[in-house]
Amino acid sequence: MAITPYISVIVPVYNVERWVARAIDSLRAQTLDNFELLLVDDGSPDGSGAICDDYAACDERISVIHKENGGAASARNAAIDVARGTYLFFMDADDWCEPDMLQSLYDCAESGPFDLVVTGFYIDTYRTEDKFFREVKSLPSRVYRSAQEFREDAHRLFDRNLLYTPWNKLFRASYLRERDIRFPDVWWDDLPFNLAVLADIERVALMDRPFYHFLRARSESENTKYRGGTFEKREEEDGWMRALYAYWGVDTPQSREFLARRHAERVIGCIEMLTCKDCPLSGEEKKREVARMVSAPSVQSAVSQARPGSLMMRAVMAPMRWRKPGLMMAESRFISWVKRNFVGVFAYLKAHR
């Protein structure tokens, strides 16, 4: 295509042959025609790459990059290097989007103009092949007139999970390139990428309407498996978040409470991971890990400042505040049991925490 596309849609593809066609079909159905779709086959061992090639053969807007496996970050960066669009949109290959998403995002971005547009999204948690619980993440539409206005309100967007992921956002490509912002080659690369974007952002628009459907169903997802070092990673992330707020010069009661509650909630997830089915640690090793997490100064500081919005979360955090690792372990086993056996109930409770 000779015409510069309005948007470059970047999709890393790995082991998603069951889902990738739906993702591509939802993009081909967009009411906005002037976009390019960059599918990055990240050395996928299944038929995902061939499916991408078949689509590229029948739609000139689609290009496929085949590369050795290097992870989602390297796949996205490979596409950023060749993307021609004025804006960039990142999508995961097992998700899908509403047909007017790109047009709505583009119109909003151009109306500012804005360097970043943030939208609501859906989380679809499947219990079976065709039954799911749908959670909506969104906030009322708003235009931020200055960097300071956005920074002082960012805790509300973080609280609704609107600032952590790359796929509910439209990024101005020149903003990323001028600052050499890329996805870092680290575990869970979304957060540091977004924090780099947010650090100096000034022109931001928030749209209340959800367009993107995030699929929470894949049993092989990294988020559902035990992984050693998760607590250390969460500690590191807490440091990143606090460094961002220090850089912004924002230190309000609301931001302090948000940062504390955020860290406490994620440590609960670290403890729950110890009671998932594939955790290889012995019972004694698990107890020691829980005791280490609960007694960490950062965790005790977090639970002392956190003010959970629900009775359920206040009850869940209580054993951490009391430094009772045994009770925390028992609580975690119950959470894991609900998560395994009542997926819809767990999704509902998590959405209303």
Side-chain angles (χ1 to χ4, degrees), residues 123-190:
I123 300 177
D124 295 340
T125 303
Y126 280 78
R127 307 191 301 272
T128 65
E129 283 292 322
D130 58 353
K131 294 182 180 179
F132 60 90
F133 171 78
R134 174 164 290 168
E135 179 185 358
V136 179
K137 294 288 190 181
S138 68
L139 283 173
S141 296
R142 180 172 177 178
V143 170
Y144 294 96
R145 300 296 181 184
S146 68
Q148 191 64 23
E149 185 180 349
F150 170 74
R151 293 171 180 182
E152 291 177 355
D153 197 49
H155 67 92
R156 292 195 316 118
L157 280 72
F158 275 120
D159 242 351
R160 291 297 291 167
N161 286 351
L162 297 178
L163 295 182
Y164 294 116
T165 63
W167 36 250
N168 67 319
K169 300 173 180 64
L170 191 69
F171 303 86
R172 185 176 294 276
S174 60
Y175 180 87
L176 300 185
R177 293 195 173 106
E178 287 166 5
R179 292 158 181 79
D180 194 27
I181 298 174
R182 293 290 187 272
F183 286 87
D185 185 17
V186 297
W187 176 18
W188 294 338
D189 56 288
D190 291 355

Side-chain angles (χ1 to χ4, degrees), residues 236-308:
E236 182 181 34
E237 288 181 351
D238 183 55
W240 292 342
M241 291 293 296
R242 293 180 183 280
L244 175 69
Y245 271 82
Y247 177 73
W248 281 350
V250 175
D251 183 24
T252 64
Q254 295 86 353
S255 65
R256 289 195 297 272
E257 192 282 329
F258 152 69
L259 290 169
R261 178 165 36 82
R262 177 192 182 278
H263 190 45
E265 289 177 351
R266 279 153 180 77
V267 174
I268 291 170
C270 295
I271 295 172
E272 190 275 326
M273 186 175 285
L274 293 171
T275 55
C276 69
K277 291 179 68 175
D278 69 342
C279 178
L281 302 182
S282 68
E284 285 301 316
E285 288 173 326
K286 292 177 182 179
K287 290 179 183 178
R288 286 196 296 270
E289 277 294 286
V290 174
R292 181 173 71 90
M293 295 181 202
V294 169
S295 62
S298 64
V299 175
Q300 283 301 305
S301 175
V303 294
S304 68
Q305 297 179 65
R307 299 293 180 266

Side-chain angles (χ1 to χ4, degrees), residues 19-89:
W19 300 277
V20 66
R22 181 178 65 175
I24 297 172
D25 286 339
S26 73
L27 290 166
R28 295 183 72 203
Q30 291 294 303
T31 57
L32 177 74
D33 288 326
N34 186 21
F35 71 91
E36 65 173 355
L37 173 54
L38 302 175
L39 302 169
V40 187
D41 172 23
D42 191 35
S44 187
D46 67 358
S48 300
I51 294 172
C52 294
D53 288 335
D54 289 342
Y55 274 100
C58 64
D59 192 330
E60 65 177 2
R61 297 173 300 178
I62 301 175
S63 300
V64 184
I65 301 170
H66 295 280
K67 61 182 288 294
E68 293 184 1
N69 178 250
S74 69
R76 288 168 175 157
N77 290 338
I80 290 173
D81 290 341
V82 299
R84 300 183 298 118
T86 303
Y87 299 95
L88 303 181
F89 182 84

